[in-house]
mmCIF file with all atom_site columns, all heavy atoms in Angstrom:
data_model
loop_
_atom_site.group_PDB
_atom_site.id
_atom_site.type_symbol
_atom_site.label_atom_id
_atom_site.label_alt_id
_atom_site.label_comp_id
_atom_site.label_asym_id
_atom_site.label_entity_id
_atom_site.label_seq_id
_atom_site.pdbx_PDB_ins_code
_atom_site.Cartn_x
_atom_site.Cartn_y
_atom_site.Cartn_z
_atom_site.occupancy
_atom_site.B_iso_or_equiv
_atom_site.pdbx_formal_charge
_atom_site.auth_seq_id
_atom_site.auth_comp_id
_atom_site.auth_asym_id
_atom_site.auth_atom_id
_atom_site.pdbx_PDB_model_num
ATOM   1   N N   . ARG A 1 264 ? -184.253 -38.884 -14.038 1.00 98.00 ? 680  ARG A N   1
ATOM   2   C CA  . ARG A 1 264 ? -183.973 -37.567 -13.427 1.00 98.00 ? 680  ARG A CA  1
ATOM   3   C C   . ARG A 1 264 ? -182.580 -37.557 -12.825 1.00 98.00 ? 680  ARG A C   1
ATOM   4   O O   . ARG A 1 264 ? -181.822 -36.627 -12.969 1.00 98.00 ? 680  ARG A O   1
ATOM   5   C CB  . ARG A 1 264 ? -185.042 -37.236 -12.395 1.00 98.00 ? 680  ARG A CB  1
ATOM   6   C CG  . ARG A 1 264 ? -186.255 -36.499 -12.944 1.00 98.00 ? 680  ARG A CG  1
ATOM   7   C CD  . ARG A 1 264 ? -186.918 -37.182 -14.147 1.00 98.00 ? 680  ARG A CD  1
ATOM   8   N NE  . ARG A 1 264 ? -188.106 -36.469 -14.567 1.00 98.00 ? 680  ARG A NE  1
ATOM   9   C CZ  . ARG A 1 264 ? -189.326 -36.684 -14.072 1.00 98.00 ? 680  ARG A CZ  1
ATOM   10  N NH1 . ARG A 1 264 ? -189.529 -37.653 -13.180 1.00 98.00 ? 680  ARG A NH1 1
ATOM   11  N NH2 . ARG A 1 264 ? -190.354 -35.964 -14.480 1.00 98.00 ? 680  ARG A NH2 1
ATOM   12  N N   . HIS A 1 352 ? -192.755 -36.102 -21.812 1.00 98.00 ? 768  HIS A N   1
ATOM   13  C CA  . HIS A 1 352 ? -191.535 -36.462 -21.067 1.00 98.00 ? 768  HIS A CA  1
ATOM   14  C C   . HIS A 1 352 ? -190.447 -36.963 -22.020 1.00 98.00 ? 768  HIS A C   1
ATOM   15  O O   . HIS A 1 352 ? -189.743 -37.926 -21.724 1.00 98.00 ? 768  HIS A O   1
ATOM   16  C CB  . HIS A 1 352 ? -191.851 -37.532 -20.009 1.00 98.00 ? 768  HIS A CB  1
ATOM   17  C CG  . HIS A 1 352 ? -192.671 -37.023 -18.866 1.00 98.00 ? 768  HIS A CG  1
ATOM   18  N ND1 . HIS A 1 352 ? -192.122 -36.370 -17.781 1.00 98.00 ? 768  HIS A ND1 1
ATOM   19  C CD2 . HIS A 1 352 ? -194.007 -37.045 -18.637 1.00 98.00 ? 768  HIS A CD2 1
ATOM   20  C CE1 . HIS A 1 352 ? -193.089 -36.038 -16.932 1.00 98.00 ? 768  HIS A CE1 1
ATOM   21  N NE2 . HIS A 1 352 ? -194.249 -36.421 -17.418 1.00 98.00 ? 768  HIS A NE2 1
ATOM   22  N N   . ASP A 1 415 ? -198.218 -40.104 -19.093 1.00 98.00 ? 831  ASP A N   1
ATOM   23  C CA  . ASP A 1 415 ? -198.572 -39.070 -18.116 1.00 98.00 ? 831  ASP A CA  1
ATOM   24  C C   . ASP A 1 415 ? -198.192 -37.677 -18.614 1.00 98.00 ? 831  ASP A C   1
ATOM   25  O O   . ASP A 1 415 ? -197.232 -37.522 -19.383 1.00 98.00 ? 831  ASP A O   1
ATOM   26  C CB  . ASP A 1 415 ? -197.856 -39.333 -16.786 1.00 98.00 ? 831  ASP A CB  1
ATOM   27  C CG  . ASP A 1 415 ? -196.336 -39.382 -16.953 1.00 98.00 ? 831  ASP A CG  1
ATOM   28  O OD1 . ASP A 1 415 ? -195.872 -40.039 -17.917 1.00 98.00 ? 831  ASP A OD1 1
ATOM   29  O OD2 . ASP A 1 415 ? -195.619 -38.766 -16.154 1.00 98.00 ? 831  ASP A OD2 1
ATOM   30  N N   . GLU A 1 416 ? -198.922 -36.714 -18.176 1.00 97.00 ? 832  GLU A N   1
ATOM   31  C CA  . GLU A 1 416 ? -198.576 -35.294 -18.277 1.00 97.00 ? 832  GLU A CA  1
ATOM   32  C C   . GLU A 1 416 ? -198.153 -34.862 -19.677 1.00 97.00 ? 832  GLU A C   1
ATOM   33  O O   . GLU A 1 416 ? -197.261 -34.025 -19.837 1.00 97.00 ? 832  GLU A O   1
ATOM   34  C CB  . GLU A 1 416 ? -197.451 -34.960 -17.271 1.00 97.00 ? 832  GLU A CB  1
ATOM   35  C CG  . GLU A 1 416 ? -197.873 -35.205 -15.846 1.00 97.00 ? 832  GLU A CG  1
ATOM   36  C CD  . GLU A 1 416 ? -196.721 -35.085 -14.847 1.00 97.00 ? 832  GLU A CD  1
ATOM   37  O OE1 . GLU A 1 416 ? -195.589 -35.445 -15.176 1.00 97.00 ? 832  GLU A OE1 1
ATOM   38  O OE2 . GLU A 1 416 ? -196.977 -34.651 -13.723 1.00 97.00 ? 832  GLU A OE2 1
ATOM   39  N N   . TRP A 1 446 ? -199.549 -45.011 -17.252 1.00 98.00 ? 862  TRP A N   1
ATOM   40  C CA  . TRP A 1 446 ? -200.088 -44.201 -16.159 1.00 98.00 ? 862  TRP A CA  1
ATOM   41  C C   . TRP A 1 446 ? -201.568 -43.960 -16.434 1.00 98.00 ? 862  TRP A C   1
ATOM   42  O O   . TRP A 1 446 ? -202.008 -44.024 -17.599 1.00 98.00 ? 862  TRP A O   1
ATOM   43  C CB  . TRP A 1 446 ? -199.310 -42.888 -16.048 1.00 98.00 ? 862  TRP A CB  1
ATOM   44  C CG  . TRP A 1 446 ? -197.864 -43.095 -15.678 1.00 98.00 ? 862  TRP A CG  1
ATOM   45  C CD1 . TRP A 1 446 ? -196.792 -42.984 -16.513 1.00 98.00 ? 862  TRP A CD1 1
ATOM   46  C CD2 . TRP A 1 446 ? -197.340 -43.465 -14.393 1.00 98.00 ? 862  TRP A CD2 1
ATOM   47  N NE1 . TRP A 1 446 ? -195.631 -43.264 -15.822 1.00 98.00 ? 862  TRP A NE1 1
ATOM   48  C CE2 . TRP A 1 446 ? -195.925 -43.552 -14.519 1.00 98.00 ? 862  TRP A CE2 1
ATOM   49  C CE3 . TRP A 1 446 ? -197.907 -43.720 -13.148 1.00 98.00 ? 862  TRP A CE3 1
ATOM   50  C CZ2 . TRP A 1 446 ? -195.087 -43.897 -13.452 1.00 98.00 ? 862  TRP A CZ2 1
ATOM   51  C CZ3 . TRP A 1 446 ? -197.069 -44.056 -12.084 1.00 98.00 ? 862  TRP A CZ3 1
ATOM   52  C CH2 . TRP A 1 446 ? -195.687 -44.139 -12.243 1.00 98.00 ? 862  TRP A CH2 1
ATOM   53  N N   . TRP A 1 463 ? -202.173 -42.975 -10.069 1.00 98.00 ? 879  TRP A N   1
ATOM   54  C CA  . TRP A 1 463 ? -201.360 -42.194 -9.127  1.00 98.00 ? 879  TRP A CA  1
ATOM   55  C C   . TRP A 1 463 ? -202.132 -40.990 -8.601  1.00 98.00 ? 879  TRP A C   1
ATOM   56  O O   . TRP A 1 463 ? -201.552 -40.010 -8.121  1.00 98.00 ? 879  TRP A O   1
ATOM   57  C CB  . TRP A 1 463 ? -200.032 -41.782 -9.750  1.00 98.00 ? 879  TRP A CB  1
ATOM   58  C CG  . TRP A 1 463 ? -200.102 -40.989 -11.027 1.00 98.00 ? 879  TRP A CG  1
ATOM   59  C CD1 . TRP A 1 463 ? -200.357 -41.472 -12.272 1.00 98.00 ? 879  TRP A CD1 1
ATOM   60  C CD2 . TRP A 1 463 ? -199.877 -39.575 -11.180 1.00 98.00 ? 879  TRP A CD2 1
ATOM   61  N NE1 . TRP A 1 463 ? -200.315 -40.465 -13.194 1.00 98.00 ? 879  TRP A NE1 1
ATOM   62  C CE2 . TRP A 1 463 ? -200.009 -39.283 -12.553 1.00 98.00 ? 879  TRP A CE2 1
ATOM   63  C CE3 . TRP A 1 463 ? -199.557 -38.536 -10.304 1.00 98.00 ? 879  TRP A CE3 1
ATOM   64  C CZ2 . TRP A 1 463 ? -199.866 -37.994 -13.071 1.00 98.00 ? 879  TRP A CZ2 1
ATOM   65  C CZ3 . TRP A 1 463 ? -199.406 -37.253 -10.832 1.00 98.00 ? 879  TRP A CZ3 1
ATOM   66  C CH2 . TRP A 1 463 ? -199.561 -36.993 -12.190 1.00 98.00 ? 879  TRP A CH2 1
ATOM   67  N N   . TYR A 1 491 ? -196.344 -42.526 -3.034  1.00 98.00 ? 907  TYR A N   1
ATOM   68  C CA  . TYR A 1 491 ? -195.262 -41.823 -3.725  1.00 98.00 ? 907  TYR A CA  1
ATOM   69  C C   . TYR A 1 491 ? -194.114 -41.591 -2.746  1.00 98.00 ? 907  TYR A C   1
ATOM   70  O O   . TYR A 1 491 ? -194.144 -40.687 -1.919  1.00 98.00 ? 907  TYR A O   1
ATOM   71  C CB  . TYR A 1 491 ? -195.775 -40.491 -4.298  1.00 98.00 ? 907  TYR A CB  1
ATOM   72  C CG  . TYR A 1 491 ? -196.115 -40.594 -5.763  1.00 98.00 ? 907  TYR A CG  1
ATOM   73  C CD1 . TYR A 1 491 ? -196.703 -41.751 -6.265  1.00 98.00 ? 907  TYR A CD1 1
ATOM   74  C CD2 . TYR A 1 491 ? -195.838 -39.554 -6.646  1.00 98.00 ? 907  TYR A CD2 1
ATOM   75  C CE1 . TYR A 1 491 ? -197.004 -41.867 -7.607  1.00 98.00 ? 907  TYR A CE1 1
ATOM   76  C CE2 . TYR A 1 491 ? -196.142 -39.665 -7.994  1.00 98.00 ? 907  TYR A CE2 1
ATOM   77  C CZ  . TYR A 1 491 ? -196.721 -40.823 -8.468  1.00 98.00 ? 907  TYR A CZ  1
ATOM   78  O OH  . TYR A 1 491 ? -197.016 -40.930 -9.804  1.00 98.00 ? 907  TYR A OH  1
ATOM   79  N N   . ASP A 1 493 ? -191.320 -40.376 -3.171  1.00 98.00 ? 909  ASP A N   1
ATOM   80  C CA  . ASP A 1 493 ? -190.526 -39.148 -3.299  1.00 98.00 ? 909  ASP A CA  1
ATOM   81  C C   . ASP A 1 493 ? -191.145 -38.025 -2.456  1.00 98.00 ? 909  ASP A C   1
ATOM   82  O O   . ASP A 1 493 ? -190.551 -36.949 -2.356  1.00 98.00 ? 909  ASP A O   1
ATOM   83  C CB  . ASP A 1 493 ? -190.398 -38.701 -4.754  1.00 98.00 ? 909  ASP A CB  1
ATOM   84  C CG  . ASP A 1 493 ? -191.721 -38.435 -5.441  1.00 98.00 ? 909  ASP A CG  1
ATOM   85  O OD1 . ASP A 1 493 ? -192.673 -39.230 -5.229  1.00 98.00 ? 909  ASP A OD1 1
ATOM   86  O OD2 . ASP A 1 493 ? -191.824 -37.437 -6.178  1.00 98.00 ? 909  ASP A OD2 1
ATOM   87  N N   . HIS A 1 504 ? -190.455 -34.178 -2.396  1.00 98.00 ? 920  HIS A N   1
ATOM   88  C CA  . HIS A 1 504 ? -191.519 -33.235 -2.760  1.00 98.00 ? 920  HIS A CA  1
ATOM   89  C C   . HIS A 1 504 ? -192.590 -33.218 -1.688  1.00 98.00 ? 920  HIS A C   1
ATOM   90  O O   . HIS A 1 504 ? -192.567 -34.041 -0.763  1.00 98.00 ? 920  HIS A O   1
ATOM   91  C CB  . HIS A 1 504 ? -192.186 -33.691 -4.060  1.00 98.00 ? 920  HIS A CB  1
ATOM   92  C CG  . HIS A 1 504 ? -191.263 -33.752 -5.228  1.00 98.00 ? 920  HIS A CG  1
ATOM   93  N ND1 . HIS A 1 504 ? -191.103 -34.892 -5.982  1.00 98.00 ? 920  HIS A ND1 1
ATOM   94  C CD2 . HIS A 1 504 ? -190.462 -32.828 -5.789  1.00 98.00 ? 920  HIS A CD2 1
ATOM   95  C CE1 . HIS A 1 504 ? -190.239 -34.664 -6.958  1.00 98.00 ? 920  HIS A CE1 1
ATOM   96  N NE2 . HIS A 1 504 ? -189.838 -33.418 -6.863  1.00 98.00 ? 920  HIS A NE2 1
ATOM   97  N N   . TRP A 1 506 ? -195.983 -32.102 -3.087  1.00 98.00 ? 922  TRP A N   1
ATOM   98  C CA  . TRP A 1 506 ? -197.199 -31.724 -3.832  1.00 98.00 ? 922  TRP A CA  1
ATOM   99  C C   . TRP A 1 506 ? -198.377 -32.659 -3.531  1.00 98.00 ? 922  TRP A C   1
ATOM   100 O O   . TRP A 1 506 ? -199.523 -32.248 -3.633  1.00 98.00 ? 922  TRP A O   1
ATOM   101 C CB  . TRP A 1 506 ? -196.933 -31.626 -5.341  1.00 98.00 ? 922  TRP A CB  1
ATOM   102 C CG  . TRP A 1 506 ? -196.572 -32.929 -6.029  1.00 98.00 ? 922  TRP A CG  1
ATOM   103 C CD1 . TRP A 1 506 ? -195.335 -33.337 -6.400  1.00 98.00 ? 922  TRP A CD1 1
ATOM   104 C CD2 . TRP A 1 506 ? -197.480 -33.968 -6.458  1.00 98.00 ? 922  TRP A CD2 1
ATOM   105 N NE1 . TRP A 1 506 ? -195.382 -34.575 -7.005  1.00 98.00 ? 922  TRP A NE1 1
ATOM   106 C CE2 . TRP A 1 506 ? -196.685 -34.981 -7.059  1.00 98.00 ? 922  TRP A CE2 1
ATOM   107 C CE3 . TRP A 1 506 ? -198.853 -34.167 -6.391  1.00 98.00 ? 922  TRP A CE3 1
ATOM   108 C CZ2 . TRP A 1 506 ? -197.229 -36.153 -7.581  1.00 98.00 ? 922  TRP A CZ2 1
ATOM   109 C CZ3 . TRP A 1 506 ? -199.401 -35.341 -6.911  1.00 98.00 ? 922  TRP A CZ3 1
ATOM   110 C CH2 . TRP A 1 506 ? -198.593 -36.321 -7.485  1.00 98.00 ? 922  TRP A CH2 1
ATOM   111 N N   . TRP A 1 540 ? -189.625 -41.137 -7.573  1.00 98.00 ? 956  TRP A N   1
ATOM   112 C CA  . TRP A 1 540 ? -189.130 -40.155 -8.547  1.00 98.00 ? 956  TRP A CA  1
ATOM   113 C C   . TRP A 1 540 ? -187.887 -39.520 -7.951  1.00 98.00 ? 956  TRP A C   1
ATOM   114 O O   . TRP A 1 540 ? -187.786 -39.342 -6.719  1.00 98.00 ? 956  TRP A O   1
ATOM   115 C CB  . TRP A 1 540 ? -190.208 -39.099 -8.823  1.00 98.00 ? 956  TRP A CB  1
ATOM   116 C CG  . TRP A 1 540 ? -191.478 -39.697 -9.342  1.00 98.00 ? 956  TRP A CG  1
ATOM   117 C CD1 . TRP A 1 540 ? -192.612 -39.984 -8.642  1.00 98.00 ? 956  TRP A CD1 1
ATOM   118 C CD2 . TRP A 1 540 ? -191.728 -40.123 -10.685 1.00 98.00 ? 956  TRP A CD2 1
ATOM   119 N NE1 . TRP A 1 540 ? -193.551 -40.550 -9.462  1.00 98.00 ? 956  TRP A NE1 1
ATOM   120 C CE2 . TRP A 1 540 ? -193.039 -40.638 -10.723 1.00 98.00 ? 956  TRP A CE2 1
ATOM   121 C CE3 . TRP A 1 540 ? -190.974 -40.119 -11.861 1.00 98.00 ? 956  TRP A CE3 1
ATOM   122 C CZ2 . TRP A 1 540 ? -193.613 -41.145 -11.887 1.00 98.00 ? 956  TRP A CZ2 1
ATOM   123 C CZ3 . TRP A 1 540 ? -191.562 -40.606 -13.028 1.00 98.00 ? 956  TRP A CZ3 1
ATOM   124 C CH2 . TRP A 1 540 ? -192.867 -41.120 -13.026 1.00 98.00 ? 956  TRP A CH2 1
ATOM   125 N N   . GLU A 1 542 ? -186.090 -36.466 -8.781  1.00 98.00 ? 958  GLU A N   1
ATOM   126 C CA  . GLU A 1 542 ? -185.640 -35.089 -9.026  1.00 98.00 ? 958  GLU A CA  1
ATOM   127 C C   . GLU A 1 542 ? -184.682 -34.620 -7.929  1.00 98.00 ? 958  GLU A C   1
ATOM   128 O O   . GLU A 1 542 ? -183.711 -33.920 -8.196  1.00 98.00 ? 958  GLU A O   1
ATOM   129 C CB  . GLU A 1 542 ? -186.840 -34.129 -9.076  1.00 98.00 ? 958  GLU A CB  1
ATOM   130 C CG  . GLU A 1 542 ? -187.680 -34.224 -10.345 1.00 98.00 ? 958  GLU A CG  1
ATOM   131 C CD  . GLU A 1 542 ? -188.857 -35.178 -10.198 1.00 98.00 ? 958  GLU A CD  1
ATOM   132 O OE1 . GLU A 1 542 ? -188.809 -36.088 -9.338  1.00 98.00 ? 958  GLU A OE1 1
ATOM   133 O OE2 . GLU A 1 542 ? -189.841 -35.021 -10.960 1.00 98.00 ? 958  GLU A OE2 1
HETATM 134 C C1  . TNX B 2 .   ? -195.520 -36.559 -11.416 1.00 55.96 ? 1149 TNX B C1  1
HETATM 135 S S1  . TNX B 2 .   ? -196.716 -39.117 -11.406 1.00 55.96 ? 1149 TNX B S1  1
HETATM 136 C C2  . TNX B 2 .   ? -194.913 -37.253 -12.429 1.00 55.96 ? 1149 TNX B C2  1
HETATM 137 C C3  . TNX B 2 .   ? -193.458 -37.302 -12.517 1.00 55.96 ? 1149 TNX B C3  1
HETATM 138 C C4  . TNX B 2 .   ? -192.814 -36.495 -11.429 1.00 55.96 ? 1149 TNX B C4  1
HETATM 139 C C5  . TNX B 2 .   ? -193.557 -36.705 -10.142 1.00 55.96 ? 1149 TNX B C5  1
HETATM 140 C C6  . TNX B 2 .   ? -192.922 -36.023 -8.972  1.00 55.96 ? 1149 TNX B C6  1
HETATM 141 C C7  . TNX B 2 .   ? -196.321 -39.091 -12.862 1.00 55.96 ? 1149 TNX B C7  1
HETATM 142 C C8  . TNX B 2 .   ? -196.791 -40.178 -13.654 1.00 55.96 ? 1149 TNX B C8  1
HETATM 143 N N1  . TNX B 2 .   ? -195.568 -38.069 -13.301 1.00 55.96 ? 1149 TNX B N1  1
HETATM 144 O O1  . TNX B 2 .   ? -193.045 -36.860 -13.776 1.00 55.96 ? 1149 TNX B O1  1
HETATM 145 O O2  . TNX B 2 .   ? -191.499 -36.907 -11.318 1.00 55.96 ? 1149 TNX B O2  1
HETATM 146 O O3  . TNX B 2 .   ? -194.861 -36.224 -10.287 1.00 55.96 ? 1149 TNX B O3  1
HETATM 147 O O4  . TNX B 2 .   ? -193.546 -36.387 -7.789  1.00 55.96 ? 1149 TNX B O4  1
#
Side-chain angles (χ1 to χ4, degrees):
R680 271 53 177 272
H768 290 276
D831 58 315
E832 299 171 326
W862 296 105
W879 57 283
Y907 262 37
D909 59 319
H920 299 125
W922 66 259
W956 302 99
E958 286 93 337

